[in-house]
């Protein structure tokens, strides 16, 4: 194994001197996993995610991980990841688009089993005719699986969020999976300066004995598989137990809020939040929004930018407050269905303030001029 | 401090009550505790726990796997401290040895199961129940079901971060805290009787 020193998460995240590297988003994943003290990574190729797990394989060869292998399919990978997590080790994997959907059954299973798996999703289109291009539609499907969802705008976000995701996921009061999402190609295959902690530092190891469910290492009490299904029983109390179990997963999401605030600095970030018009976005739509906001402010228009970092838990109170004082919330998205605008409408008091546009998909880029046009309409 | 106005009171709260965390009740930070959904200083919770246990008709501890087996150093000593506390407040124990759903074979006189804890509480007419050494997820599920269907007052002595669905919860409970709680209970008991009722029956609990 490569020699690394274990340091406190707070030191690794906030205090260690950082080095700037000019790297791709996929390489940022590699750099995060180098420092994450991951025991096991399991991979399966799918564009645009393949490169990141290939690079994780490279650092396995260098001794940064104890185990790495390729599964037979995305479903097999996610199932193997579940087994590893139940056995009490820290695991990582990544997928994208159709791979996400092929493995879909396992994501709510991870959450239901209280497994602190971290999975990177490099989002892409999923519908026919076949596309490999950027699109965030898969996130719409994952919103209600019980996993936590962070959305990276940049390679820097991707590096930081993956590292922090392990620490948030493994909190005893949370202990559910975290998906770290980034827009495929826009982030994974472009290069930017990323500030990384020294590679000879790493997170403390995962302590499975603080888990809210028993780790199944056969030396831990009660020394047997404890998660027998309720489904085979037909009585009220078995249904009530299952319902309460589901509620407990949602409760774990709620408990994650304070940890997200502590480690990510908040569920959202706002620039000029006092403005009458706000561009509210997640992922690379934030970057496009930032350009549009800068252009609008040069024109003298009072516009602010809200970057959503956490989608589960959703920053409902923060958005409700912003929605009260704003005249309009413009929601640009890289998908056809407009899931983010729907989410925002579900929490603001006056849904007519939410402008669910502009929206592009199929791999198209989003010129900031489209967002600027929406801003100008608010002032017309 | 928790900002929720949601009260975590004894039930029955209804058909499918929400988890308290979903109602805005937040777990306490280190050094604090929860009493009925409110964050309070730990010392206040110690006092409240001792009073509740000493005033109970039929206080029962539900020790879970994490204190029933000597699976790591220090557990046997912690179990001893739990026994001393039980003795100080005159409580019985009904263990939670594992978490398998045991429908409908559960014997509520000898064990409690997190998936249908209400049966044990109804069968034994338990008015104050204490969870200790139960893995957090199972404790949360059981505490919520108890709140939904019974009027049992629940207390969680948690080795980790606590439980919103208990009426009183202490976090980071170690031997030192158990001993402190025992000392407070002994002092309170010495000051005069608090118990207003009598145990309805001895049952066959261990």
């Amino acid at each position: 194994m490569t020699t690394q020193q274990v340091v406190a998460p707070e030191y690794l995240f906030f205090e260690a001197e950082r080095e700037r590297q000019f790297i791709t988003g996929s390489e940022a994943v590699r750099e995060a996993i180098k420092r994450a003290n991951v025991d096991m990574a399991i991979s399966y190729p799918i564009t645009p995610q393949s490169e990141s797990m290939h690079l994780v394989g490279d650092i396995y060869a260098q001794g940064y991980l104890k185990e790495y292998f390729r599964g037979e399919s995305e479903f097999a990978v996610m199932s193997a990841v579940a087994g590893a997590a139940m056995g009490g080790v820290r695991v990582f994997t990544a997928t994208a688009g159709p791979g996400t959907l092929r493995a879909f059954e396992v994501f709510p299973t991870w959450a239901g089993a209280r497994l602190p798996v971290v999975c990177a999703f490099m989002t892409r289109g999923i519908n026919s005719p076949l596309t490999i291009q950027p699109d965030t539609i898969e996130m719409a499907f994952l919103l209600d699986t019980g996993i936590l969802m962070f959305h990276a705008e940049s390679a820097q976000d991707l590096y930081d969020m993956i590292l922090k995701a392990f620490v948030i996921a493994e909190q005893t009061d949370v202990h559910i999976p975290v998906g770290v999402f980034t827009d495929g190609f826009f982030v994974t295959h472009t290069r930017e300066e990323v500030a990384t902690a020294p590679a000879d530092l790493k997170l403390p190891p995962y302590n499975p004995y603080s888990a809210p469910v028993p780790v199944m290492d056969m030396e831990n009490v009660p020394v047997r598989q404890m998660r027998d299904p309720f489904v085979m029983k037909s009585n009220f109390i078995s249904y009530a137990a299952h319902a309460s179990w589901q509620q407990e997963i949602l409760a774990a999401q709620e408990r994650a809020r304070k940890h997200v605030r502590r480690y990510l600095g908040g569920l959202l970030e706002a620039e000029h939040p006092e403005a009458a018009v706000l561009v509210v976005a997640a992922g690379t739509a934030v970057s496009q929004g930032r350009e549009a906001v800068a252009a609008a402010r040069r024109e003298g228009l009072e516009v602010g930018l809200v970057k959503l970092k956490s989608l589960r838990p959703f920053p409902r109170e923060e958005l409700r407050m912003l929605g009260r004082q704003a005249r309009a919330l413009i929601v640009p998205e890289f998908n056809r269905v407009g899931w983010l605008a729907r989410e925002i409408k579900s929490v603001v008091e006056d849904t007519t303030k939410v402008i669910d546009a502009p929206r592009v998909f199929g791999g198209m880029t989003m010129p900031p001029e489209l967002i600027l046009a929406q801003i100008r309409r608010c002032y017309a | 401090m928790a900002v929720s106005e949601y009260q975590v009171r004894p039930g029955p709260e209804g058909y499918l009550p929400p988890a308290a965390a979903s109602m805005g009740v937040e777990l306490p930070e280190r050094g604090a505790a929860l009493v009925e959904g409110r964050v309070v200083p730990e010392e206040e919770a110690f006092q409240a726990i001792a009073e509740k246990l000493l005033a109970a008709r039929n206080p029962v501890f539900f020790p879970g796997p994490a204190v029933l087996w000597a699976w790591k150093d220090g557990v046997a000593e912690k179990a001893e401290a739990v026994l001393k506390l039980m003795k100080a407040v005159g409580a019985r124990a009904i263990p939670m040895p594992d978490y398998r759903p045991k429908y409908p074979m559960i014997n509520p006189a000898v064990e409690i199961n997190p998936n249908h804890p209400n049966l044990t509480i109804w069968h034994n007419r338990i008015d104050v129940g204490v969870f200790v050494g139960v893995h957090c997820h199972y404790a949360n599920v059981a505490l919520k079901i108890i709140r939904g269907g019974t009027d049992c007052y629940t207390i969680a002595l948690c080795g980790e971060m606590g439980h919103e669905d208990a009426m009183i919860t202490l976090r980071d409970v170690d031997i030192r805290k158990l001993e402190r709680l025992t000392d407070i209970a002994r002092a309170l008991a010495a000051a005069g009787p608090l118990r207003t009722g009598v145990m309805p029956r001895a049952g066959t609990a261990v």
Side-chain angles (χ1 to χ4, degrees):
Chain A
M1 293 292 286
T2 297
T3 303
Q4 288 179 294
Q5 182 190 347
V6 169
V7 294
E10 285 72 12
Y11 181 80
L12 191 68
F13 301 156
F14 306 122
E15 295 169 29
E17 195 168 329
R18 289 197 169 202
E19 172 198 0
R20 301 194 78 81
Q21 302 188 56
F22 190 57
I23 55 177
T24 64
S26 300
E27 289 167 337
V29 174
R30 176 195 64 200
E31 294 305 312
I33 299 306
K34 253 187 199 176
R35 293 153 179 82
N37 204 353
V38 166
D39 296 297
M40 179 181 280
I42 308 172
S43 69
Y44 191 78
I46 187 165
T47 302
Q49 168 271 158
S50 306
E51 188 182 32
S52 61
M53 288 309 287
H54 171 114
L55 293 169
V56 170
D58 284 353
I59 60 172
Y60 161 72
Q62 295 164 20
Y64 285 93
L65 294 84
K66 295 188 187 75
E67 190 57 88
Y68 175 92
F69 65 89
R70 198 182 83 174
E72 300 90 339
S73 70
E74 289 89 349
F75 185 88
V77 165
M78 302 311 165
S79 303
V81 163
M86 285 181 189
V89 302
R90 182 177 286 160
V91 285
F92 175 75
T93 189
T95 189
T100 301
L101 267 67
R102 192 176 197 198
F104 200 88
E105 182 186 349
V106 191
F107 302 124
T109 300
W110 286 354
R114 300 296 298 265
L115 304 178
V117 174
V118 173
C119 180
F121 295 84
M122 284 65 171
T123 64
R124 65 171 259 197
I126 51 172
N127 49 319
S128 191
L130 181 64
T131 176
I132 60 168
Q133 297 305 329
D135 196 308
T136 63
I137 196 168
E138 70 195 85
M139 297 178 71
F141 297 99
L142 286 155
L143 287 167
D144 297 311
T145 53
I147 71 170
L148 302 183
M149 297 173 67
F150 305 153
H151 202 171
E153 175 191 357
S154 61
Q156 182 71 64
D157 274 356
L158 194 54
Y159 166 84
D160 287 325
M161 285 179 172
I162 287 174
L163 263 178
K164 293 172 180 177
F166 287 105
V167 175
I168 294 169
E170 292 166 7
Q171 296 289 325
T172 305
D173 56 339
V174 178
H175 221 272
I176 50 178
V178 178
V180 179
F181 295 76
T182 199
D183 304 354
F185 293 109
F186 292 152
V187 174
T188 55
H189 286 58
T190 58
R191 203 168 281 276
E192 66 178 68
E193 270 201 354
V194 177
T196 59
D200 61 353
L201 302 182
K202 63 180 177 181
L203 289 174
Y206 170 50
N207 174 16
Y209 300 105
S210 285
V213 287
V215 58
M216 286 182 276
D217 68 354
M218 300 312 287
E219 293 178 5
N220 182 44
V221 294
V223 204
R224 52 170 296 145
Q225 159 63 282
M226 284 306 108
R227 278 163 262 180
D228 302 355
F230 310 116
V231 72
M232 302 307 289
K233 317 294 178 186
S234 298
N235 57 40
F236 168 79
I237 199 66
S238 67
Y239 307 147
H242 198 285
S244 299
W245 189 286
Q246 290 189 54
Q247 287 176 313
E248 172 54 18
I249 307 306
L250 297 177
Q253 284 195 337
E254 290 301 315
R255 294 186 204 110
R257 289 181 190 279
K258 67 181 176 194
H259 303 297
V260 176
R261 290 187 183 113
R262 178 177 174 192
Y263 289 111
L264 296 189
L267 284 74
L268 56 74
E269 287 173 5
E271 298 172 25
H272 309 295
E274 73 290 350
V277 175
L278 296 173
V279 174
V280 186
T284 56
V286 177
S287 301
Q288 308 308 98
R290 189 175 285 111
E291 292 297 314
V293 166
R297 293 183 75 85
R298 284 195 294 273
E299 293 178 15
L301 302 176
E302 190 202 352
V303 191
L305 178 71
V306 179
K307 167 178 172 170
L308 303 186
K309 296 188 287 190
S310 175
L311 300 161
R312 289 291 182 273
F314 196 59
R316 56 171 183 256
E317 292 304 321
E318 294 91 333
L319 282 166
R320 191 170 293 142
M321 293 295 288
L322 289 166
R324 271 186 199 144
Q325 58 84 22
R327 183 149 54 94
L329 305 170
I330 297 169
V331 187
E333 292 190 61
F334 281 105
N335 65 78
R336 175 176 53 81
V337 299
W339 56 264
L340 183 55
R342 288 199 304 237
E343 289 288 306
I344 294 169
K345 283 180 181 173
S346 74
V347 297
V348 298
E349 287 158 357
D350 182 354
T351 57
T352 63
K353 289 182 177 179
V354 179
I355 300 168
D356 50 354
R359 206 180 292 162
V360 297
F361 36 93
M364 291 176 69
T365 55
M366 183 186 294
E369 289 76 11
L370 293 181
I371 306 171
L372 185 57
Q374 292 294 337
I375 296 170
R376 287 184 184 131
R377 277 190 199 106
C378 292
Y379 282 97
Chain B
M1 298 289 283
V3 295
S4 168
E5 293 179 358
Y6 185 74
Q7 292 278 295
V8 183
R9 301 278 302 151
E13 184 158 333
Y15 188 67
L16 185 59
S22 298
M23 300 302 287
V25 178
E26 291 185 14
L27 291 174
E29 297 296 327
R30 283 185 194 279
L34 276 181
V35 174
E36 298 179 8
R38 287 182 306 113
V39 176
V40 300
E42 206 169 61
E43 279 296 320
E44 189 177 327
F46 282 139
Q47 191 73 24
I49 291 169
E51 286 175 8
K52 274 289 169 191
L53 284 168
L54 287 168
R57 282 181 294 104
N58 184 21
V60 175
F61 277 53
F62 305 120
V67 293
L68 287 176
W69 276 276
W71 60 285
K72 67 173 183 179
D73 289 345
V75 174
E77 292 80 0
K78 189 172 183 179
E80 286 286 340
V82 172
L83 280 171
K84 283 179 188 164
L85 174 60
M86 286 170 50
K87 192 173 176 186
V89 298
R92 297 186 297 147
I94 297 180
M96 188 181 286
D98 61 45
Y99 306 130
R100 288 169 295 157
K102 285 168 249 182
Y103 318 112
M105 299 83 79
I106 184 78
N107 182 346
V110 298
E111 68 175 315
I112 183 170
N113 188 277
N115 305 304
H116 43 138
N118 50 337
L119 300 184
T120 303
I121 285 166
W122 286 333
H123 179 85
N124 294 282
R125 301 182 198 174
I126 297 165
D127 60 341
V128 177
V130 179
F131 280 67
V132 58
V134 181
H135 288 84
C136 290
H137 183 88
Y138 293 92
N140 280 332
V141 168
L143 288 162
K144 201 182 77 60
I145 293 172
I146 290 169
R147 190 160 54 81
T150 82
D151 62 357
C152 181
Y153 196 96
T154 53
I155 296 166
L157 305 179
C158 179
E160 301 288 341
M161 298 162 91
H163 302 275
E164 309 92 342
D165 288 291
M167 275 105 245
I168 305 179
T169 186
L170 278 183
R171 57 168 293 169
D172 307 312
V173 171
D174 53 12
I175 292 173
R176 187 186 60 80
K177 288 190 185 181
L178 288 166
E179 288 174 347
R180 171 82 182 133
L181 192 50
T182 304
D183 289 343
I184 290 172
R186 282 178 182 153
L188 203 57
L194 284 175
R195 192 156 292 159
T196 54
V198 291
M199 281 201 292
R201 57 175 155 173
T204 52
V206 294

